[in-house]
Amino acid sequence: MSGTHRRSMLGRARLMAKVLAVLLSLTVVAALALLARFERGETLGHAQGRAELIARTLEDHVTRTVESASLILRTLGEGIAQQGTLEPARLQPLLGQPLLSSLPFLRSAAVIDERGVVLASSIRGEPGLRIDMDGWGPLPAEGQEALLPLRPGRSLFDLATSGAPRAAGVGVLPLVRWVRGAAGQRVLLVALINPGALANFQQVAVSGDGGVALLASWQGRLVAANEPVALEPGQQISGHPVFDSWLPQREHGVYIGRGLLEGRQVVAFRASRTRPLVVLVELAQQAVLRPWHERVNLLGAVGLLALLAILGGLAVLLREMDAREHARAALDGAHEQVALRERELSVLLKSVQELIFRTDATGAITFVNARWVAISHEGPDHAIGQRLRDLVALPDRQRTDDLFTRDDRVGVRQEQLCLRAADGRLRHFLVAVVPLHGEGRIVGFAGSAVDVSERVLADQQLQRQLAFSALLLEMSPLPVSMFDTAGRYVLVNQAWEDFVGRPRASVIGTQVGAFLSAQDAELHAEQDARLLAHGGKARYETQVLHRDGSRRDMVLTKVVVPGDGGEPAGILCTLMDVSEFRDAERATREARDAAERASREKSAFVANISHELRTPLQAILGFSELGCVRGRDNARLAGMFNDIHHSGQRMLALVNDLLDVSKIESAVGTFELERCDLREIVQAVLREVDPLLAQRGLRVALTLADEPLIARLDPTRIHQAIRNVIANAIKFSPQDGALQVACLASESDTLTLTVADRGPGIPPGELESIFEAFVQSSRTQDGSGGTGLGLAICRKILDIHGGQIWADNRVGGGAVFTLVLPQRPSGDSQLHTGY
């Protein structure tokens, strides 16, 4: 091989060595970068789990602390209820029990009456103080309790004395409860919870993580913190994502981002199960990543050594191997730290209220927290070794096996299973299981179980209610449909199908006006648009095409159906067939019109005949009067002319009555209403009939009201009606008898006129028929009666005025006629024209 060739081979080898060195260096750098990224994610994930676990532990501690204070209040309430009186001397021993002094989280407990006076207290010197509770916030109802907002101070003395000096950052959480003593007095029990005790526990919980733990109200007001922060207790935490974005949609969660402290934080929060409190745990991302930075620096050194090894040869390679060994030892130490933290977490898990467990690869339980006691009433050791599939109900065992499948491609597995509790009832649990990997295979499973029995029961009740509503819709005889805001059908019932003649399968999803005429579609679209714009309910009547081709009169009722966000989701429409009612109305209207035409024609005929009869009657009466004058010397001839004259007068009276009837029925407009005193009309009628009274020797006992009896009426027509009634009484009264006439005002805003006589009376079966035209009482059909039109005319006049007339028999003989007229207000000219 020539030198040139060797140099070329050497150059190529050197070039290849350079290329390989560069590729190997890039590979090392890329591997180290990926490893650093992976380690960072693992570190942050571990910090999130740690923060979430601490938040769950602190929330449980806060809840149990408040519940312990609540138990003390209930115990004090039971003791007070057994006291015969609420004297302070009898209440004070209840608050001096050792139980109160042994609870460090309680500053004091007291009994306060409804005036705000402290009756008894666990702190000497507080009884007798007056507390202004107006600023405490809304107090609970009797028999209930409430946790009030944080108040500054240490005791009731601080709360009662507004100007007393207080230490900065010192406050109490009042827990109050109304109870009633045996004598019926109501008092308020107050327990002042020390937020500092909660902060001390928070300090212990986060002492190894260098973070901060906060306790706040649901509204974001700081209650306590494990170390000083920028806010004082009671101040509002502004701009925190937990209160701005997370609550109240989610009651617990964990995220990395903005918190109360400066810089990015690992934040975990959890709301109390029973109280309006929220626990926040914040771990500084920079502090969390500090171990990772150390490992990254270490990996950087390892990478540098690796590059030096590549460039330096075998010696450097050996040194790089030593460095890797050193890195391996450091990694093992880190794993030991992780194992230590896991043991600490297992201790914390025992206080979590959810059921948390761990199994081996076959599904046998190897660990379970203390929540197991609440489910089985047995210790956690009893569950060790049992398989979860043996504890669930028989139908759920196959799905339980699916949770523990060894397919490592499936991550989180969830199933809803039924477990039988210690009381024998089946409880529903939402079980989540995550496989645990080790040495490249699944070595076990970790899981949690949440009791969702109440939610399952609510879902079942909801489904039954929906099924019942659907059944009611199908059974409804009214056609019902629903369509969305775009005008597409989404629901119809069986009655709608039967009416329209279209199956719902061909209707759902189509436009509302698809099978309507353009005019009908425009009418419905206008109503729907107005309803969607203004809400409420729309009701209108139109004609709808029936499946048999006829158009039916229908009343449509539409209401807006609200959606999830409060916006309209559609319109619900019901149809009611009123065709038969409208046909009946049309038939009634046509019959009434025909009757009115016949009545007008009859009235016109009677008026024409009456006018035609009056002409010859005037001639007969004139010649009969002339015959009477000229036949005075011939008694027989004079008697004949007198008979002719009297018969003509009776005939003329009959014709005049017929004319009055026809005028009343056909010319209501001739009634002219004016304000009149009814007493004057009655007196005028009596003066007019005075000759008739004198002729029969009758006396009139007149009773009139002292005050004017003012009413709006037609004086001529009312005068005619009253004269007819009084004239009838005179006609049928015995010779030298008496009439009783009374005109008074009643309490029902009406005027009443009564005319009583001692005549033959009226048979009971004819008390109503005598007011019909041409009908007379059977007791007066002896020739002394008239035409039978007088009382009929009276009733028509009274009816047109809105009044009434009726007759009754008097005790001892005779009849009494009663006329009632309404007292119309000024300006009321409405007549009853139903004739």
Side-chain angles (χ1 to χ4, degrees):
M1 181 178 300
S2 62
T4 303
H5 184 68
R6 285 196 305 269
R7 284 191 298 270
S8 177
M9 290 288 294
L10 180 59
R12 288 195 297 270
R14 293 178 65 182
L15 179 60
M16 184 177 295
K18 292 179 180 180
V19 172
L20 290 176
V22 171
L23 292 176
L24 187 56
S25 300
L26 292 176
T27 302
V28 171
V29 171
L32 291 176
L34 291 175
L35 181 59
R37 182 182 181 87
F38 174 77
E39 287 288 339
R40 186 178 187 277
E42 288 289 316
T43 302
L44 290 178
H46 176 74
Q48 285 181 296
R50 173 68 176 174
E52 187 174 18
L53 184 58
I54 293 174
R56 183 177 298 175
T57 302
L58 294 180
E59 179 271 328
D60 178 69
H61 176 262
V62 170
T63 301
R64 285 189 287 106
T65 298
V66 178
E67 291 301 325
S68 298
S70 173
L71 177 61
I72 290 175
L73 288 188
R74 291 197 295 271
T75 304
L76 291 177
E78 293 173 358
I80 291 174
Q82 296 174 0
Q83 299 295 323
T85 179
L86 296 182
E87 296 180 359
R90 303 191 65 175
L91 296 178
Q92 189 61 39
L94 296 176
L95 298 176
Q97 298 176 5
L99 177 61
L100 296 178
S101 60
S102 63
L103 298 175
F105 59 84
L106 278 184
R107 290 192 183 273
S108 65
V111 181
I112 305 175
D113 64 11
E114 292 183 316
R115 299 172 302 165
V117 177
V118 179
L119 301 179
S121 174
S122 61
I123 297 179
R124 182 175 301 174
E126 288 188 348
L129 290 176
R130 181 175 295 275
I131 308 299
D132 183 9
M133 295 180 291
D134 292 340
W136 285 29
L139 298 179
E142 184 176 334
Q144 298 181 4
E145 66 182 26
L147 184 64
L148 303 183
L150 182 72
R151 305 288 299 172
R154 294 180 179 273
S155 62
L156 288 179
F157 181 80
D158 294 339
L159 300 183
T161 308
S162 60
R166 300 183 179 91
V170 177
V172 291
L173 280 175
L175 182 66
V176 298
R177 183 183 186 91
W178 283 108
V179 298
R180 192 174 294 275
Q185 303 98 323
R186 197 172 70 151
V187 295
L188 184 68
L189 301 183
V190 180
L192 299 183
I193 300 175
N194 180 13
L198 303 177
N200 292 337
F201 187 84
Q202 294 172 354
Q203 178 64 35
V204 173
V206 299
S207 61
D209 297 276
V212 61
L214 309 173
L215 178 63
S217 66
W218 269 72
Q219 291 75 27
R221 293 192 178 274
L222 182 63
V223 175
N226 68 313
E227 62 181 28
V229 294
L231 299 177
E232 291 292 334
Q235 291 185 345
Q236 183 71 33
I237 302 176
S238 302
H240 201 288
V242 170
F243 301 101
D244 293 346
S245 304
W246 292 75
L247 291 176
Q249 288 80 8
R250 292 191 58 180
E251 297 183 355
H252 61 87
V254 61
Y255 69 92
I256 298 176
R258 184 161 52 90
L260 183 63
L261 303 179
E262 295 183 359
R264 293 178 62 83
Q265 305 290 322
V266 178
V267 182
F269 72 93
R270 194 169 190 90
S272 174
R273 304 182 302 278
T274 60
R275 304 295 173 175
L277 298 174
V278 181
V279 173
L280 292 88
V281 176
E282 295 188 5
L283 304 178
Q285 179 176 308
Q286 183 177 3
V288 169
L289 293 178
R290 189 174 293 116
W292 175 78
H293 284 299
E294 295 176 358
R295 292 195 296 273
V296 167
N297 293 334
L298 183 60
L299 291 176
V302 172
L304 180 58
L305 292 176
L307 293 176
L308 292 176
I310 294 173
L311 298 176
L314 182 58
V316 178
L317 180 60
L318 294 176
R319 292 178 59 190
E320 188 262 342
M321 293 177 62
D322 293 338
R324 284 181 176 272
E325 186 63 26
H326 184 269
R328 176 73 65 178
L331 186 59
D332 291 340
H335 288 164
E336 291 179 1
Q337 291 294 324
V338 172
L340 178 60
R341 294 297 177 88
E342 286 184 352
R343 287 193 296 270
E344 294 176 354
L345 289 177
S346 65
V347 176
L348 293 175
L349 286 176
K350 294 180 181 179
S351 62
V352 177
Q353 293 300 309
E354 295 180 2
L355 179 63
I356 298 177
F357 59 90
R358 187 171 180 175
T359 69
D360 58 14
T362 63
I365 297 176
T366 59
F367 167 79
V368 66
N369 66 340
R371 182 61 179 171
W372 175 262
V373 179
I375 299 175
S376 64
H377 291 184
E378 297 177 348
D381 295 338
H382 181 267
I384 302 302
Q386 297 190 53
R387 299 182 63 190
L388 188 61
R389 74 178 311 274
D390 299 330
L391 300 177
V392 302
L394 186 60
D396 294 339
R397 292 186 176 178
Q398 180 58 46
R399 291 190 288 120
T400 306
D401 293 338
D402 295 339
L403 288 175
F404 297 99
T405 179
R406 300 194 181 186
D407 187 358
D408 57 2
R409 294 173 298 177
V410 181
V412 180
R413 302 99 181 268
Q414 282 189 348
E415 290 288 350
Q416 183 173 307
L417 307 175
C418 290
L419 278 76
R420 191 169 300 279
D423 56 4
R425 295 186 303 170
L426 285 177
R427 306 288 296 178
H428 296 268
F429 287 86
L430 183 62
V431 180
V433 173
V434 178
L436 301 175
H437 294 82
E439 300 179 357
R441 59 185 180 86
I442 295 177
V443 297
F445 297 89
S448 63
V450 180
D451 192 344
V452 294
S453 301
E454 295 182 358
R455 187 189 70 186
V456 171
L457 179 60
D459 290 342
Q460 293 174 352
Q461 293 176 348
L462 177 61
Q463 293 302 321
R464 287 194 295 269
Q465 184 65 32
L466 292 176
F468 179 72
S469 300
L471 183 60
L472 286 180
L473 182 64
E474 286 300 310
M475 293 178 60
S476 173
L478 298 178
V480 180
S481 62
M482 177 180 171
F483 39 89
D484 57 20
T485 54
R488 295 185 296 269
Y489 283 104
V490 296
L491 180 146
V492 296
N493 68 343
Q494 185 62 43
W496 191 93
E497 292 185 67
D498 297 339
F499 182 86
V500 178
R502 296 173 180 270
R504 69 184 67 185
S506 63
V507 173
I508 301 301
T510 62
Q511 290 292 327
V512 172
F515 48 88
L516 299 177
S517 64
Q519 182 178 2
D520 292 344
E522 182 179 358
L523 171 64
H524 295 307
E526 180 180 352
Q527 294 288 343
D528 295 343
R530 185 182 300 111
L531 186 61
L532 289 174
H534 303 287
K537 179 172 69 174
R539 184 182 179 90
Y540 60 95
E541 183 175 340
T542 185
Q543 289 190 334
V544 179
L545 185 65
H546 191 260
R547 66 176 181 179
D548 59 6
S550 62
R551 295 184 67 83
R552 302 288 184 89
D553 292 313
M554 306 294 291
V555 174
L556 280 75
T557 304
K558 295 181 177 180
V559 295
V560 176
V561 179
D564 295 335
E567 297 296 327
I571 296 177
L572 184 66
C573 174
T574 62
L575 291 80
M576 180 181 294
D577 193 344
V578 294
S579 301
E580 295 182 358
F581 296 103
R582 294 296 174 259
D583 293 341
E585 288 178 355
R586 286 190 287 270
T588 302
R589 186 165 54 252
E590 292 173 357
R592 185 181 66 246
D593 294 341
E596 290 178 352
R597 287 195 301 271
S599 178
R600 288 194 297 269
E601 293 174 357
K602 179 200 70 174
S603 299
F605 173 76
V606 171
N608 292 334
I609 291 297
S610 300
H611 280 290
E612 293 297 330
L613 289 175
R614 291 182 69 175
T615 301
L617 281 175
Q618 294 295 337
I620 292 173
L621 290 174
F623 283 109
S624 64
E625 291 176 354
L626 180 61
C628 290
V629 173
R630 294 184 178 183
R632 292 176 181 174
D633 299 334
N634 189 338
R636 182 179 180 184
L637 182 62
M640 293 173 62
F641 277 110
N642 281 331
D643 291 339
I644 293 173
H645 187 266
H646 287 310
S647 297
Q649 288 288 349
R650 292 183 63 187
M651 188 67 178
L652 181 60
L654 176 60
V655 171
N656 289 335
D657 287 343
L658 289 174
L659 282 174
D660 286 338
V661 172
S662 64
K663 288 179 180 180
I664 292 172
E665 290 183 346
S666 63
V668 176
T670 61
F671 281 69
E672 297 180 359
L673 299 183
E674 59 183 76
R675 291 175 59 81
C676 300
D677 188 349
L678 187 62
R679 300 180 305 169
E680 297 178 357
I681 298 177
V682 173
Q683 291 173 342
V685 172
L686 291 177
R687 289 194 298 270
E688 183 178 336
V689 299
D690 187 69
L692 297 178
L693 293 170
Q695 182 180 356
R696 298 185 61 83
L698 297 177
R699 301 181 307 278
V700 177
L702 178 61
T703 303
L704 295 177
D706 296 334
E707 299 294 332
L709 303 178
I710 304 299
R712 288 185 59 80
L713 47 82
D714 187 325
T716 302
R717 295 297 184 181
I718 295 299
H719 184 284
Q720 179 183 4
I722 296 175
R723 189 185 188 286
N724 284 345
V725 173
I726 294 178
N728 277 348
I730 294 173
K731 185 184 302 182
F732 300 116
S733 293
Q735 191 74 21
D736 299 326
L739 297 180
Q740 293 181 354
V741 179
C743 187
L744 303 169
S746 64
E747 297 180 355
S748 57
D749 295 332
T750 57
L751 305 179
T752 303
L753 172 68
T754 58
V755 178
D757 61 60
R758 287 297 181 181
I762 305 170
E766 300 175 2
L767 289 174
E768 182 64 27
S769 62
I770 60 173
F771 292 98
E772 298 178 4
F774 305 106
V775 176
Q776 300 183 37
S777 172
S778 59
R779 295 181 182 177
T780 61
Q781 293 178 351
D782 54 358
S784 62
T787 62
L789 291 174
L791 291 179
I793 293 173
C794 290
R795 169 159 285 187
K796 291 182 181 296
I797 293 174
L798 267 294
D799 287 345
I800 291 175
H801 279 81
Q804 293 178 301
I805 182 173
W806 66 84
D808 291 303
N809 286 313
R810 299 180 65 188
V811 178
V816 56
F817 284 80
T818 303
L819 290 76
V820 178
L821 283 170
Q823 286 183 299
R824 297 175 181 268
S826 179
D828 183 5
S829 60
Q830 183 66 33
L831 295 176
H832 292 255
T833 59
Y835 298 95

